[in-house]
Amino acid sequence: MAVSRKKSAALTILLGTLLIGTGCGSMSSHKNVDLGLAHINSHEYEEAAECFEAAKAAGENDRLLYRASGILNRNLGQYDEAIDDFLKSLAATSGIPGDMDFDTNFYLADTYMKLEKYDEAEKVYDAILALRKKDKDAYYMRGLTKLYSTDHDGAVVDFNKAMTLSPRNYDLRIMIYKALSASGYEEEAKEILQSCLNNTDPNMTNYEKGQISYYLGNNADAQSYLELARNERETEKAPVVLLLGQTGEKQGDFNYAISVYKTFLAEDSDHPDIYNQLGLCQLNMGDYEGAVTSFEAGLALGNSDYSRALLMNEITAYEHAGNFAQAKTLMEKYRKAYPDDADAEREEIFLSTR
């Protein structure tokens, strides 16, 4: 079933706010908003809400305040409230829309997607692309909305447009591969990756060749390319090591993967993603104590991009070890930091019975 392409009044309003806006407040006065955003980054949501109340009382900029409040509500899983906030932020835009307004629209569309309101999300991406006709991210995301609403053909058109706009972006092609595969279009997805290797790009790096080979399931080729990349002086080593270890994992050789990760971390320990992958390998090997140590080492680095996965995996390690009391304690901490995680809510109920 194709997604309806009719432009509703909501789209007209959205485009209008992007183009005109009403404006409100002074952009220079937003110290409480900034402090609130810092609290959100630290998962201190009650403190963030207090800052936003203070910002409202002080008459701080509405555009920034509503955007920040939307981010807070989104993190709390209060998606309807978040949508209302993002729309208010856009309505407070004055003059020509800037980067922040487009960023707010991406937040808005993503929130619609969390509610599975794919038609509404698509309209937001339509609005972005009406003003930024070469935004590959908007084409990719609009393609996702169409794919999720079973408009496969429309999704492919947008994915192709995104790839045309970014011809050497292999990460983008891998994301499209994953999306199509997850929706049941495995062979079509593989063709996208295979074409990367067939149309040999003279500038394609060994790491990129290794990436593509890995996702195509050619583990031996992937390993060869990644080993070459690991020994190249100019190549960033962390992503190479992460994928190289995973080639071993896919073949069930967890000892090889653990060796790859540990060797790298002994020289450069500032990589929470690699600690996380090491911990997962140790989990698979039944080394629950080692897994906990790895997850804790990753968490200690304080990188918010990985803290969610690391903490949940640490909980899993304690569960496997039979230490349900510690798992329950950490789950309470996790639920406070990530209240929007419905799966964790069910897991918390399970732990309460142990």
Side-chain angles (χ1 to χ4, degrees):
M1 181 180 67
V3 176
S4 170
R5 301 293 305 212
K6 293 180 180 178
K7 292 189 176 181
S8 68
L11 176 56
T12 304
I13 291 170
L14 177 58
L15 283 168
T17 58
L18 277 170
L19 289 167
I20 304 172
T22 59
C24 184
S26 166
M27 286 293 289
S28 63
S29 176
H30 47 82
K31 63 179 182 180
N32 287 302
V33 171
D34 289 346
L35 183 57
L37 287 169
H39 281 304
I40 291 174
N41 195 49
S42 300
H43 312 296
E44 298 164 348
Y45 300 130
E46 291 181 8
E47 293 85 344
E50 290 172 3
C51 287
F52 297 152
E53 284 297 321
K56 185 176 181 180
E60 293 187 19
N61 181 268
D62 278 355
R63 177 184 171 212
L64 299 178
L65 174 56
Y66 282 122
R67 176 180 178 275
S69 181
I71 294 170
L72 174 61
N73 279 319
R74 181 176 173 275
N75 282 19
L76 290 171
Q78 297 169 178
Y79 300 129
D80 288 323
E81 291 87 343
I83 287 168
D84 186 54
D85 285 331
F86 291 138
L87 288 172
K88 286 178 179 177
S89 175
L90 291 168
T93 300
S94 62
I96 298 172
D99 288 342
M100 190 178 73
D101 301 300
F102 285 98
D103 181 66
T104 301
N105 270 287
F106 274 105
Y107 270 119
L108 173 63
D110 181 69
T111 309
Y112 278 130
M113 290 179 74
K114 286 184 178 297
L115 290 170
E116 299 184 5
K117 293 184 176 181
Y118 301 124
D119 284 356
E120 295 304 314
E122 185 180 345
K123 292 167 189 172
V124 178
Y125 294 123
D126 286 343
I128 293 171
L129 289 165
L131 298 175
R132 289 188 170 179
K133 301 183 186 302
K134 295 185 177 182
D135 192 320
K136 73 177 189 313
D137 296 323
Y139 277 112
Y140 166 70
M141 292 303 300
R142 192 174 70 176
L144 284 185
T145 68
K146 294 176 181 178
L147 188 63
Y148 296 158
S149 57
T150 68
D151 179 13
H152 165 268
D153 292 347
V156 170
V157 170
D158 278 346
F159 289 154
N160 285 337
K161 182 65 175 179
M163 289 188 287
T164 299
L165 288 169
S166 192
R168 287 207 69 252
N169 190 330
Y170 297 109
D171 287 334
L172 173 64
R173 282 152 177 77
I174 289 168
M175 290 192 297
I176 292 170
Y177 159 81
K178 289 179 178 179
L180 287 169
S181 293
S183 295
Y185 301 101
E186 177 73 22
E187 291 307 311
E188 182 179 4
K190 284 185 175 181
E191 287 175 10
I192 291 173
L193 297 188
Q194 190 62 55
S195 67
C196 297
L197 295 178
N198 293 344
N199 303 328
T200 309
D201 175 2
N203 297 311
M204 196 175 191
T205 66
N206 283 315
Y207 170 63
E208 290 166 340
K209 291 175 184 176
Q211 273 186 301
I212 299 300
S213 298
Y214 172 83
Y215 286 105
L216 283 172
N218 303 331
N219 289 308
D221 289 345
Q223 212 162 44
S224 296
Y225 285 126
L226 293 168
E227 285 286 7
L228 289 171
R230 184 164 63 156
N231 294 313
E232 292 169 349
R233 182 175 298 178
E234 301 301 320
T235 300
E236 184 183 355
K237 298 298 186 294
V240 174
V241 165
L242 191 62
L243 199 57
L244 181 60
Q246 288 176 284
T247 63
E249 291 180 50
K250 281 182 72 174
Q251 298 173 84
D253 192 348
F254 294 105
N255 285 321
Y256 169 79
I258 288 170
S259 174
V260 169
Y261 299 140
K262 283 188 172 181
T263 299
F264 177 78
L265 289 168
E267 299 177 359
D268 185 357
S269 62
D270 191 23
H271 293 278
D273 50 343
I274 295 179
Y275 274 115
N276 186 56
Q277 207 62 36
L278 170 60
L280 290 173
C281 282
Q282 291 165 319
L283 264 179
N284 275 292
M285 295 288 288
D287 180 8
Y288 306 130
E289 184 177 342
V292 165
T293 299
S294 296
F295 296 137
E296 287 182 344
L299 284 165
L301 296 172
N303 188 318
S304 61
D305 290 340
Y306 299 99
S307 58
R308 184 170 188 160
L310 284 159
L311 183 54
M312 177 52 75
N313 289 334
E314 184 182 4
I315 292 167
T316 301
Y318 276 115
E319 285 184 7
H320 281 291
N323 190 341
F324 295 107
Q326 182 62 13
K328 183 179 179 180
T329 297
L330 289 177
M331 180 57 79
E332 291 171 357
K333 178 181 178 181
Y334 180 94
R335 289 284 296 137
K336 184 177 180 181
Y338 309 105
D340 63 324
D341 191 331
D343 291 334
E345 184 177 6
R346 289 189 287 271
E347 185 69 12
E348 185 177 34
I349 293 170
F350 163 76
L351 285 170
S352 69
T353 66
R354 307 302 292 179

